[in-house]
Structure formats: C-alpha cells, structure tokens
Amino acid sequence: MSVLAFIGVYVVSKFLHNTPWDVIDNPSRTLLSVLACWVIFRAAPNPALLWRGITIGLFLALLIVTYQKIQLDLDRPSAWTQAIAFANMVAALALVGFARPGDSRRVHAEAWFNVLCALPILVMNGTRGAMIGMLVTLFPLLLVRYRRFSARMFMFALGGIAALLIGLYQIPGSPVAKRVDLAVKEVQQFQQGNVESSVGARLMMWKVGMQYFVEHPWTGAGVGQFARVLRADPYCEQRRESAACGLEHAHNDLVEAAATTGIPGVLATLTLFLVPAGLFWRALRTCHADNNYAGVSLGGAGLAVVMASLISGLTQVTTAHQANVVFYAGAIGMLLGLAGREAWATRLSNAATPSGQPKAASSPGESHAVRIVA
C-alpha cells in the first residue's frame, strides 16, 4: 500500500502539472520491492546464502575499486556505476553482512570483515553520505551482532571505530582527510556567498527548494521538475553558467519531495522508509521472543538498510538514479521476504507446540524457517 501510494502521488502530480511520462520511470521501480518480497517469501531460499554471497561480493568490489584507484587513477572509483549509488550499495551490503547470525569467533570475524572491506571502498570512492550512514548505523546494529552486549563492550566498540576514523584522517594524503577538509572549506565559502562547490550547491538548493515548498505546500512544482524550480531562482537567473544551477535534483529526498510534490509527496516518500522499518521491527520482535537468531539478524539487517538509506538520502535523492532505487527496492523486498518467512515459521512453531511444552530453539546460525520445513 505504501508503494502504491508513493507511485499514486507521482502519477497525480504528472497529470496535474502535465509533465512527461518519463518522470515516472525511476519512481515506478519501487514496485520491485513488492515483487521481490513475494518471490522470496514463496521460494523460501536459505538465508545463509545471503551472508556468504555478501562477503564474497564486497571482497571482489574491494579488488575492483583498488584496481581503478591505483592502476586507472580514477578520482572516485565505483566499479563502473554511478559513484554515489555504488557507495550507498556498498554501505548497505556491509551492514547486512555485519548482522549475520552466529556467536562464534569465526562468525564475528566474518561480520567485521564485511565492514573492513566496505570501509576502504568508501574511502577511495569518497562519498561522505554513505560513509556516515554506515558508521552511524553500525552502533545500534551492535545490539544484533552481540546478543549479550554490555556497556563496556559498547564503549570498546565506540573507541575502536573512533580510533579507526582518526587513524584514517591522520594518514598522509588520506582521501578521508581531503574530503573532510574540503567539506569544512566549502561550508566556509558558502557563508561568504560562494555556492560553487559540492556542499555550497547543496545548501543553496535546499534553501531554494524549501522556499518553493513554503509557497506551494500542497502541489509543488511537479514531479521531476526541481531543475525548473532551481533555475527560476534569482541567483540562477543571473548566473546561467553556474554549475550549481545545472543540477537536476535536490540531492535530498525530503527537499526534492517537498519542492516537487508538496506535503503528499513528503508523506509518501517517508512511507517508503518507515513502513518497511515497522515491518522489520515486528519481525525482529517476533523472532527474538522465540530465539530465532536468523530472523533477528534479518530484521536487524532490514532496519539497518532503511536507516542507512535515510541518512544517505539527506545528501542524495534515492529515485534520482536507476541503480540506487532498484537496489533499495530489491534489497528491502528481499529482506522483508526472508524476515517475514522466519516470523511466519516462528508463529507456526508456536501454534504447533502444546501449551506448557518446551520449544526447540534454533542454533545461532540456523534459519528457523529452513528447520521447520526440514
């Protein structure tokens, strides 16, 4: 229903403002989440294959990006994909891989290996939003990774991540230091009236977009028409050659929705994140109550993808790039199907267990749904 509401708002906006049909192209790909969820739930694949595949994929991605950086000397290597979309995918996959079930040292090592593969990829890629999204989401995900999590362990993990970031910043010629210093410099330049930078352009666009939203709170400018809003601003009318005025979207999910589709668009966009988050939380609680470790990991992984995508969406529009929206919709649908399958198997197990009889708990790395079917 949330996906249909989202697409419905876009279709109404298209007819209301008489915009071309191609503006519906990327938003319509959110339907993949429904299809993927249904297919995965019906096919009931073994979730263990997901964790194994992510580790292999991230390691291969690290090799490719390293080759592009060292041998091809690319400024923002991204495995021949749009740089920001690629970084968002890497961050999300690392979080899913980190949430894998199991309490043994080997499993913990495999979980951290995913993060250690993703970190240098994001450093070489240079996408700040994806890096922040992954690191911020990593903290609550520690509660899924370590079942007997203590305050001492949390402080140790916090200190370890902080030390890692400081170390990356202090390395001579570090891309992290360059990107952080550049962001600080660009904010200072914006305060002095210069918007001709990555950060400056974003701040200017967000200001223009929110001003337009205040003037047109219910209809916006029309789906896919943020560029028209931007170029109608007095700053861009006087500086047609400005690179900041040539951008096509707001580089922020909520600002884009507010300026182009108004309040209905903001609410519909939020449902794409909050509704899956609510479903993942329900699945996590259901599985946690029955010691279904695979279900807890899948629910936590889904919540992590949503949270990281929300954070990344503060500096990028999810539907702006085909790769980005297809990955988000596909990953959410897949994880919902897997987590829903585990929660469903848990309910079946509870219903079949006579009152007062002990329930068999699945082992930390075992899928409850697979055990029920077996």
Side-chain angles (χ1 to χ4, degrees), residues 276-344:
L279 295 174
F280 283 125
W281 178 249
R282 285 174 54 187
L284 188 152
R285 291 187 62 185
T286 299
C287 294
H288 181 268
D290 199 55
N291 295 323
N292 182 347
Y293 298 108
V296 171
S297 292
L298 289 167
L303 284 170
V305 172
V306 172
M307 182 174 175
S309 299
L310 272 171
I311 296 173
S312 299
L314 296 176
T315 55
Q316 173 68 3
V317 177
T318 303
T319 58
H321 302 286
Q322 185 182 117
N324 214 19
V325 66
V326 167
F327 174 80
Y328 176 75
I332 290 297
M334 176 190 65
L335 291 170
L336 274 176
L338 291 170
R341 188 80 185 184
E342 295 295 329
W344 175 73

Side-chain angles (χ1 to χ4, degrees), residues 144-196:
V144 175
R145 171 77 266 134
Y146 298 101
R147 316 265 177 215
R148 299 176 181 86
F149 201 69
S150 63
R152 180 180 179 183
M153 188 181 296
F154 179 82
M155 295 306 298
F156 179 79
L158 178 65
I161 295 176
L164 181 61
L165 291 177
I166 293 173
L168 289 173
Y169 184 85
Q170 295 295 333
I171 295 175
S174 168
V176 173
K178 291 180 181 178
R179 297 291 287 178
V180 172
D181 294 343
L182 182 62
V184 173
K185 180 181 178 181
E186 289 175 352
V187 170
Q188 294 172 346
Q189 291 175 342
F190 177 79
Q191 293 173 340
Q192 297 170 1
N194 180 9
V195 304
E196 299 303 318

Side-chain angles (χ1 to χ4, degrees), residues 205-221 226 229 254-267:
M205 288 190 297
W206 298 345
K207 179 181 178 181
V208 171
M210 294 312 296
Q211 286 177 343
Y212 193 89
F213 170 66
V214 171
E215 297 169 1
H216 307 83
W218 291 104
T219 60
F226 186 82
V229 173
L254 297 182
V255 174
E256 174 81 12
T260 59
T261 52
I263 293 175
V266 173
L267 296 177

Side-chain angles (χ1 to χ4, degrees), residues 49-104:
L49 300 176
L50 171 67
W51 319 117
R52 189 182 310 160
I54 283 178
T55 302
I56 296 172
L58 286 173
F59 178 70
L60 293 177
L62 175 60
L63 295 180
I64 293 172
V65 169
T66 302
Y67 168 78
Q68 290 183 316
K69 187 69 175 181
I70 297 176
Q71 294 295 326
L72 303 183
D73 196 28
L74 297 184
D75 184 45
R76 299 186 66 182
S78 54
W80 303 284
T81 308
Q82 202 278 337
I84 297 177
F86 174 75
N88 292 343
M89 287 187 264
V90 168
L93 289 175
L95 293 168
V96 175
F98 184 74
R100 64 191 306 148
D103 289 325
S104 67

